[in-house]
Amino acid sequence: MTLAQSPSESGQAPLGHHKARALKAGSRRPAKDLCSECGLCDTYYVHYVKEACAFINQQVADLEAQAHGRSRDLDSEDDLYFGVHQEMMAARKTEPIEGAQWTGIVSSIAIAMLTSGKVEGVVCVQNTPEDRFQPQPVIATTPEEILAARVNKPTLSPNLSVLEQVERSGMKRLLVIGVGCQIQALRAVQDKLGLEKLYVLGTPCVDNVTRAGLQKFLDTTSRSPSTVVYYEFMQDFRVHFKHEDGSTETVPFFGLKTDQLKDVFAPSCMTCFDYVNSLADLVVGYMGAPFGWQWIVVRNETGQELLDMVRDQIETQPVMSQGERRPAVQNSIPAYDKGMTIPMWAAKLLGLAIERIGPKGLEYARFSIDSHFTRNYLYVKRNYPEKLDQHVPAYAKAIVDQYELPD
Ligand code: FAD
Ligand code: SF4
């Protein structure tokens, strides 16, 4: 049996996952070029890879029903775009955490869950001592370890590589923080982890890169690549870099050197349709909120329980929506088809009117989802046509179908 085959494919009797072996570091993963390095294959849960991997077996609707009691209602625009939810809001910490990606709502929830005793450990990702952007997944068991994981590591991160340690440690109550592809694989194996309760706190995620790809992006875009401690593609259509000395640098999306950045995004991210982390209990991002605020999507009662842990630490306001995204998205499609990967043409088309009439709040989130889904749909169609039907979820197809695409 090659490691890329499942036991049933090899004709052997199914093995218990404890008898399976993690794949060797650096060896080719079953999803091949589409592997997002989620970490599952670094554990004996590789045994379930054929069913669990987001890039081999897209099964968002089934897993939504398992996690939230129903899959999304495609006739509801909010469900279609943002997934199953019972509440959305904009929020920010009244006392932001220094050095967090936004105001630190994710880290604060994790700390409250741990110190209240609701969980025994938190899967999150710190960086290595040598490199602030090299991810190092951990099971944090102290608030200090959670705080050390604050801020995005804007690179593919093998968060699930610590899952074997969870089962070995005997932990029964766990919080996992992660992005969509990690959470899909987690949901597919969660019943095998020996847990009594799993909480899943997700962030949206798009356009991630390998560590080498990140370097290329920093080198071509920032005035001082080696001092960047943080960056974000923000709702004002600019990339915001924060440097070691506390200074901020902004670069308009349409000022990016697309010719050099053409292939910078990981193929996994170019084929991903789970921008909004459909399977997490609670999602904390920014794109559906006014600038400076975080965007919260409560998907189920477990998500509500997570959010309630920090109610007294945050201020909130209702979500809002303003502007019209569709012409900009439609006009940008020919550029993607020519191999442009960064959805900045749309921003350019909005030109100087961005601040005044550009999409804001939920309409900005829909703008970003539409731009990425149309781009990714064309990418799958061009590069993996045999995967198109199975890999593109029904909700993503419905979103893409609003636009005229080239053949
Ligand atoms: P913090 O308190 O700073 O905590 C950040 C948490 O993120 C930590 O617990 C850490 O474990 C976890 N984390 C860091 N890097 C990774 C990683 N590579 N993989 C998995 N987990 C990680 N939001 C949007 O609305 N739109 C986007 O397009 C978008 N893109 C994102 C792309 C990436 C690669 C990531 C990691 C996040 C993205 N987000 C996006 C989420 C957003 O940037 C913030 O992470 C989120 O709002 C939480 O902010 P915070 O201040 O509460 O987080
Ligand atoms: Fe394995 Fe995860 Fe890569 Fe899929 S994405 S092949 S599950 S490491």
Side-chain angles (χ1 to χ4, degrees), residues 93 97-110 122-126 135 138 146-159 177-180 182 201-209 230-233 235 275 283-289 293-295 364-365 368 372:
K93 285 206 70 191
I97 295 182
E98 176 81 27
Q101 185 71 13
W102 284 79
T103 70
I105 292 178
V106 166
S107 298
S108 301
I109 291 173
V122 177
V123 173
C124 51
V125 51
Q126 300 176 347
V138 297
I146 292 169
L147 275 180
R150 72 192 187 282
V151 81
N152 291 358
K153 269 46 79 179
T155 44
L156 301 176
S157 173
N159 282 24
I177 300 170
V179 299
Q182 299 159 359
L201 175 48
T203 67
C205 182
V206 78
D207 292 350
N208 216 337
V209 289
Y230 155 111
Y231 75 82
E232 189 85 84
F233 285 72
Q235 300 102 315
Y275 194 168
V283 178
V284 180
Y286 65 88
M287 66 183 178
W293 290 71
Q294 294 189 256
W295 173 52
Y364 176 85
S368 197
H372 286 94

Side-chain angles (χ1 to χ4, degrees), residues 29-31 35-41 49 53 55:
R29 295 331 200 200
C35 174
S36 70
E37 297 170 29
C38 78
L40 189 82
C41 294
V49 65
C53 176
F55 303 96

Side-chain angles (χ1 to χ4, degrees), residues 57-306:
N57 181 29
Q58 182 282 118
Q59 51 174 339
V60 173
D62 289 346
L63 292 175
E64 278 178 334
Q66 176 195 302
H68 313 313
R70 68 176 182 90
S71 59
R72 25 183 123 187
D73 173 2
L74 301 188
D75 293 327
S76 148
E77 197 188 35
D78 278 353
D79 253 38
L80 182 71
Y81 273 85
F82 309 126
V84 175
H85 61 280
Q86 53 191 48
E87 202 184 357
M88 281 197 278
M89 71 195 76
R92 63 184 177 197
K93 285 206 70 191
T94 44
E95 291 177 31
I97 295 182
E98 176 81 27
Q101 185 71 13
W102 284 79
T103 70
I105 292 178
V106 166
S107 298
S108 301
I109 291 173
I111 290 170
M113 289 296 289
L114 192 67
T115 53
S116 67
K118 284 198 175 220
V119 295
E120 297 152 282
V122 177
V123 173
C124 51
V125 51
Q126 300 176 347
N127 54 285
T128 60
E130 311 77 46
D131 178 354
R132 64 169 70 100
F133 290 130
Q134 184 69 49
Q136 184 163 296
V138 297
I139 307 171
T141 54
T142 65
E144 292 71 29
E145 287 168 350
I146 292 169
L147 275 180
R150 72 192 187 282
V151 81
N152 291 358
K153 269 46 79 179
T155 44
L156 301 176
S157 173
N159 282 24
L160 302 186
S161 61
V162 297
L163 283 189
E164 264 184 48
Q165 292 171 41
V166 172
E167 201 178 1
R168 288 208 184 106
S169 70
M171 266 182 204
K172 295 292 173 209
R173 305 179 69 80
L174 184 74
L175 170 65
V176 176
I177 300 170
V179 299
C181 53
Q182 299 159 359
I183 302 307
Q184 176 172 323
L186 173 71
R187 286 296 193 196
V189 303
Q190 76 173 69
D191 293 346
K192 330 281 187 213
L193 305 176
L195 295 173
E196 281 161 15
K197 179 73 183 171
L198 171 69
Y199 295 85
V200 181
L201 175 48
T203 67
C205 182
V206 78
D207 292 350
N208 216 337
V209 289
T210 59
R211 184 63 187 85
L214 173 64
Q215 202 54 49
K216 191 170 173 192
F217 170 71
L218 295 175
D219 289 346
T220 54
T221 312
S222 171
R223 62 171 156 74
S224 171
S226 63
T227 60
V228 172
V229 290
Y230 155 111
Y231 75 82
E232 189 85 84
F233 285 72
M234 287 206 191
Q235 300 102 315
D236 61 354
F237 297 90
R238 293 184 175 88
V239 190
H240 290 227
F241 293 98
K242 222 184 267 168
H243 291 276
E244 276 167 354
D245 63 1
S247 65
T248 302
E249 174 188 9
T250 62
V251 179
F253 290 180
F254 47 84
L256 297 176
K257 300 190 177 94
T258 36
D259 48 336
Q260 294 171 52
L261 294 175
K262 201 160 106 49
D263 300 318
V264 79
F265 299 128
S268 54
C269 306
M270 295 293 290
T271 62
C272 170
F273 296 93
D274 192 21
Y275 194 168
V276 298
N277 210 325
S278 314
L279 302 170
D281 298 314
L282 179 73
V283 178
V284 180
Y286 65 88
M287 66 183 178
F291 188 72
W293 290 71
Q294 294 189 256
W295 173 52
I296 311 273
V297 184
V298 182
R299 299 209 180 283
N300 57 33
E301 284 306 314
T302 303
Q304 191 66 56
E305 193 183 334
L306 286 167

